[in-house]
Amino acid sequence: MAKVVVDAMAMQRALTRITYEIIERNKGIDDLIILGIKTRGIYLAQRIASRLKQLENATVPVGELDVSKYRDDIEHDSQENDPKVTVAKIDFPITDKKVILVDDVLYTGRTIRAAMSAIMDLGRPQQINLAVLVDRGHRELPIRADFVGKNIPSSQSERIKVSVSEIDGQDSVEIIDR
């Protein structure tokens, strides 16, 4: 059984609020870059960048990060053990930049740990901040989001499903009983 907890309008408002918070915390958008974690984090990152452009009248670079090779909770083929072969679509330098890392759901923290490892292999940013649409709790690592669209307390027997119109045909967040 699925229960919609965030509809399209609520998602838009959450992303707009996150965008304003990013501007305020960074005192503008100088030296700012946005990296979206594959898959839905990429689309959320693009939406935040679009809103930043509307508000600040300047373009913020957006990159894509696939952290699957950096995950410590997924078995890797021994022949593909070199994490540096990760797929990253980042055509700008990240050294000395303020990185906003964007993901759809913050759960155990392992994806974010993997993303930070991937980022450090690409350069040394000035700082890394985390923006997530949903924080559901149940952390296994000491990681927290700097910008949160919605806190959704959930049990570990539930699943949070984020849908984005670019690939799912609609914007929503649902809690699904497993």
Side-chain angles (χ1 to χ4, degrees), residues 7 32 54 67 69 71 78 119 137 159 174:
D7 62 12
L32 200 68
Q54 290 174 341
V67 301
K69 299 279 187 200
R71 296 291 301 247
S78 61
I119 290 168
R159 190 170 73 87
E174 297 173 292

Side-chain angles (χ1 to χ4, degrees), residues 24 86 157 169:
E24 288 175 18
T86 188
S157 66

Side-chain angles (χ1 to χ4, degrees), residues 19-20 23-24 43-44 53-55 58 65 71 83 123 137 139-140 147 153 161 169 174:
T19 304
Y20 278 109
I23 294 167
E24 288 175 18
Y43 298 105
L44 299 175
K53 183 174 175 110
Q54 290 174 341
L55 296 170
L65 209 52
R71 296 291 301 247
R139 224 69 82 237
E140 294 175 0
F147 311 104
K161 180 183 176 201
E174 297 173 292

Side-chain angles (χ1 to χ4, degrees), residues 114-171:
M116 289 191 296
S117 293
I119 290 168
M120 297 312 273
D121 278 351
L122 297 170
R124 188 179 188 282
Q126 185 183 128
Q127 70 184 37
I128 300 173
N129 289 125
L130 176 60
V132 296
L133 180 62
V134 174
D135 184 345
R136 67 171 290 184
H138 304 289
R139 224 69 82 237
E140 294 175 0
L141 300 171
I143 290 175
R144 68 166 182 79
D146 301 286
F147 311 104
V148 178
K150 184 152 180 79
N151 287 294
I152 300 178
S154 61
S155 76
Q156 291 192 354
S157 66
E158 295 172 318
R159 190 170 73 87
I160 302 290
K161 180 183 176 201
V162 174
S163 298
V164 292
S165 59
E166 292 88 342
I167 53 177
D168 302 307
Q170 69 174 8
D171 288 338

Side-chain angles (χ1 to χ4, degrees), residues 13-118:
R13 282 192 298 266
L15 291 172
T16 297
R17 187 177 66 255
I18 287 170
T19 304
Y20 278 109
E21 290 174 3
I22 289 169
I23 294 167
E24 288 175 18
R25 179 155 316 159
N26 291 284
K27 297 178 176 62
I29 59 171
D30 293 340
D31 292 325
L32 200 68
I33 63 172
I34 302 174
L35 299 179
I37 297 175
K38 185 179 178 186
T39 295
R40 285 163 182 79
I42 293 168
Y43 298 105
L44 299 175
Q46 291 167 345
R47 292 183 192 188
I48 290 170
S50 174
R51 192 73 174 117
L52 283 168
K53 183 174 175 110
Q54 290 174 341
L55 296 170
E56 295 290 305
N57 206 23
T59 301
V60 175
V62 179
E64 301 178 7
L65 209 52
D66 180 352
V67 301
S68 55
K69 299 279 187 200
Y70 288 84
R71 296 291 301 247
D72 64 356
D73 56 345
I74 297 175
E75 289 290 322
H76 298 287
D77 184 351
S78 61
Q79 293 176 340
E80 298 177 11
N81 226 3
D82 183 6
K84 290 185 175 64
V85 297
T86 188
V87 177
K89 292 183 183 174
I90 301 170
D91 58 358
F92 46 84
I94 67 166
T95 298
D96 295 326
K97 300 293 184 184
K98 298 175 185 174
V99 174
I100 305 296
L101 185 60
V102 180
D103 203 6
D104 56 351
V105 178
L106 177 56
Y107 183 31
T108 63
R110 294 191 179 277
T111 298
I112 305 310
R113 188 220 48 85
M116 289 191 296
S117 293

